[in-house]
């Protein structure tokens, strides 16, 4: 039987690539370059499956170029705002993602940012590497206490819950949450979490605000100038969700004018570009979209893509079908 032809848009872990090569007629991206619009269009016109990552924009332009041969877009990542689902459906493409397996990893990174910005870890390391450290002194680089503070979780889905669990059980934090739909009572109870009836209420009451909502027209610039003004002056914003959930100009203004104490970001509106003004600020901890970047998780994500493809090519029903 003919093996399905698949095109992988970036380098994946070698073990996952080997698995894909064993199962399918696989075209790898050996030099790991970001594929151009034309390359993505060619891939969709020649392969049975295309395996994009969250950094490949599969929009109406990419999908509208010509007759699409591919039947499935098996994306390596949980977020799917890089894919125009309507346009994909219109050309008969099934779309899958990789939910659940990166929950813990992303929650760990949210805590890394939260602790790192509160305790000035990035700033401290830069200070030390610049040979500027003159020794211990009582006034040196005082940060903010994390233990016992209040964490506001915006979006109490899988990742939001995992962050809240770490914060509550590990750091004795009080948990506030804002979620547009009801959250299961046992989940809320286990976290001793308090529901806020609006985002505004949460912002007023939290020492740390961690964003865990999907990117959508409703969440675009959810954190805007008016909402930064509602946050406490000693509060911190953490974003491991998507860059466009935060208005970057409003964030820069809030950080420069002391409306908030600091921020920790893993995601940006136009990755890999990072707004220049953020790079000059000390009260921000910046990471390059590392939420799922552990060996274990990246292997699991790749294998989950392989499972989706196997199911699709044998039964047409992949476990992680979107839409
Ligand atoms: C995702 O999967 O959506 C993350 O942002 C990258 O792993």
């Amino acid at each position: 039987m003919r093996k399905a032809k698949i095109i992988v848009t970036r380098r994946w872990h070698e073990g996952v690539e080997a698995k894909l090569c064993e199962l399918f007629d696989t075209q790898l991206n050996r030099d790991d370059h970001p594929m151009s619009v034309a390359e993505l269009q060619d891939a969709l016109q020649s392969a049975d499956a295309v395996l994009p990552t969250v950094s490949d924009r599969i929009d109406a332009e990419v999908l509208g170029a010509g007759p699409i041969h591919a039947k499935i877009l098996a994306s390596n990542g949980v977020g799917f705002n890089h894919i125009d689902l309507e346009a994909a459906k219109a050309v008969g493409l099934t779309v899958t993602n990789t939910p659940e397996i990166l929950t813990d990893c992303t929650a760990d990174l949210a805590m890394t940012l939260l602790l790192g910005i509160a305790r000035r870890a990035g700033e401290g390391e830069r200070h030390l590497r610049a040979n500027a450290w003159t020794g211990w002194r009582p006034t040196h680089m005082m940060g903010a206490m994390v233990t016992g503070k209040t964490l506001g979780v915006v979006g109490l889905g899988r990742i939001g819950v995992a962050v809240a669990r770490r914060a509550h059980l590990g750091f004795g934090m009080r948990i506030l949450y804002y979620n547009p739909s009801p959250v299961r009572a046992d989940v809320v109870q286990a976290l001793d979490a308090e529901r806020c009836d609006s985002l505004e209420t949460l912002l007023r009451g939290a020492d740390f605000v961690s964003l865990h909502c999907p990117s959508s027209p409703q969440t675009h610039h959810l954190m805007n100038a008016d909402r930064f003004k509602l946050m406490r002056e000693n509060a911190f914003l953490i974003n491991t969700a998507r860059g466009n959930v935060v208005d970057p100009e409003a964030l820069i203004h809030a950080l420069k004018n002391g409306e908030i104490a600091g921020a920790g970001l893993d995601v940006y509106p136009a990755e890999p570009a990072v707004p220049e003004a953020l790079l000059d600020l000390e009260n921000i901890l910046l990471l390059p979209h590392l939420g799922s970047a552990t060996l274990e998780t990246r292997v699991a994500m790749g294998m989950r893509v392989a499972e989706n493809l196997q199911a699709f090519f044998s039964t047409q029903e992949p476990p992680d079908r979107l839409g």
Side-chain angles (χ1 to χ4, degrees):
M1 205 176 82
R2 177 181 87 87
K3 282 183 176 177
K5 165 138 198 232
I6 69 168
I7 295 183
V8 189
T9 67
R10 297 302 295 262
R11 274 278 47 157
W12 291 12
H13 180 271
E14 57 187 350
V16 179
E17 289 188 345
K19 184 75 184 169
L20 292 172
C21 290
E22 180 193 312
L23 295 171
F24 308 107
D25 171 8
T26 303
Q27 181 182 312
L28 300 173
N29 177 350
R30 297 209 181 266
D31 65 5
D32 200 23
H33 67 282
M35 283 172 73
S36 65
V37 168
E39 285 177 293
L40 291 169
Q41 288 169 336
D42 279 355
L44 286 163
Q45 286 166 22
S46 59
D48 299 306
V50 175
L51 283 58
T53 67
V54 298
S55 57
D56 297 305
R57 183 140 293 283
I58 314 285
D59 55 13
E61 182 193 358
V62 169
L63 293 164
I68 302 268
H69 174 82
K71 295 282 167 282
I72 177 167
L73 272 175
S75 188
N76 186 349
V78 65
F80 47 87
N81 61 308
H82 58 296
I83 300 175
D84 183 333
L85 287 186
E86 284 304 308
K89 196 171 167 193
V91 295
L93 275 165
T94 292
V95 182
T96 59
N97 68 343
T98 62
E100 293 131 18
I101 43 188
L102 41 73
T103 300
D104 283 326
C105 192
T106 308
D108 288 353
L109 195 90
M111 290 307 293
T112 305
L113 285 171
L114 190 155
L115 290 161
I117 187 61
R119 300 303 303 271
R120 304 174 64 174
E123 207 184 331
E125 209 217 16
R126 282 191 294 279
H127 180 74
L128 187 140
R129 283 179 187 268
N131 272 330
W133 187 33
T134 57
W136 193 94
R137 55 198 192 277
T139 55
H140 189 217
M141 280 208 173
M142 289 176 289
M145 191 80 180
V146 170
T147 296
K149 292 281 180 67
T150 299
L151 171 66
V153 179
V154 181
L156 201 63
R158 278 188 290 256
I159 298 175
V161 167
V163 172
R165 190 177 297 131
R166 283 157 175 72
H168 183 61
L169 301 178
F171 295 88
M173 294 179 88
R174 173 182 167 224
I175 307 295
L176 305 180
Y177 74 95
Y178 171 66
N179 198 67
S181 53
V183 179
R184 272 189 10 226
D186 59 323
V187 172
V188 174
Q189 241 165 38
L191 300 167
D192 205 7
E194 297 158 50
R195 182 179 161 273
C196 294
D197 53 9
S198 68
L199 176 56
E200 285 69 21
T201 310
L202 178 143
L203 296 175
R204 284 190 196 96
D207 300 305
F208 295 87
V209 174
S210 194
L211 302 176
H212 300 289
C213 45
S215 165
S216 71
Q218 292 73 37
T219 60
H220 183 82
H221 289 186
L222 187 78
M223 286 307 299
N224 57 25
D226 290 341
R227 292 195 168 123
F228 278 115
K229 288 193 176 68
L230 298 177
M231 286 179 68
R232 298 175 173 182
E233 282 179 9
N234 59 353
F236 297 87
L237 177 79
I238 308 300
N239 188 10
T240 52
R242 281 294 182 264
N244 60 10
V245 175
V246 177
D247 174 350
E249 294 308 320
L251 172 63
I252 291 161
H253 184 274
L255 289 168
K256 279 188 172 168
N257 293 285
E259 286 174 7
I260 64 173
L265 305 183
D266 188 43
V267 286
Y268 308 87
E271 295 177 12
V274 176
E276 195 68 29
L278 291 180
L279 300 175
D280 296 331
L281 294 174
E282 283 290 7
N283 56 345
I284 188 158
L285 183 52
L286 302 166
L287 294 178
H289 204 148
L290 295 179
S292 64
T294 62
L295 178 63
E296 296 88 336
T297 304
R298 288 287 163 83
V299 170
M301 289 163 72
M303 291 302 183
R304 183 76 162 246
V305 172
E307 281 165 32
N308 274 305
L309 289 174
Q310 279 184 290
F312 179 77
F313 288 121
S314 54
T315 67
Q316 299 283 297
E317 198 41 66
D320 303 314
R321 182 194 287 269
L322 290 167

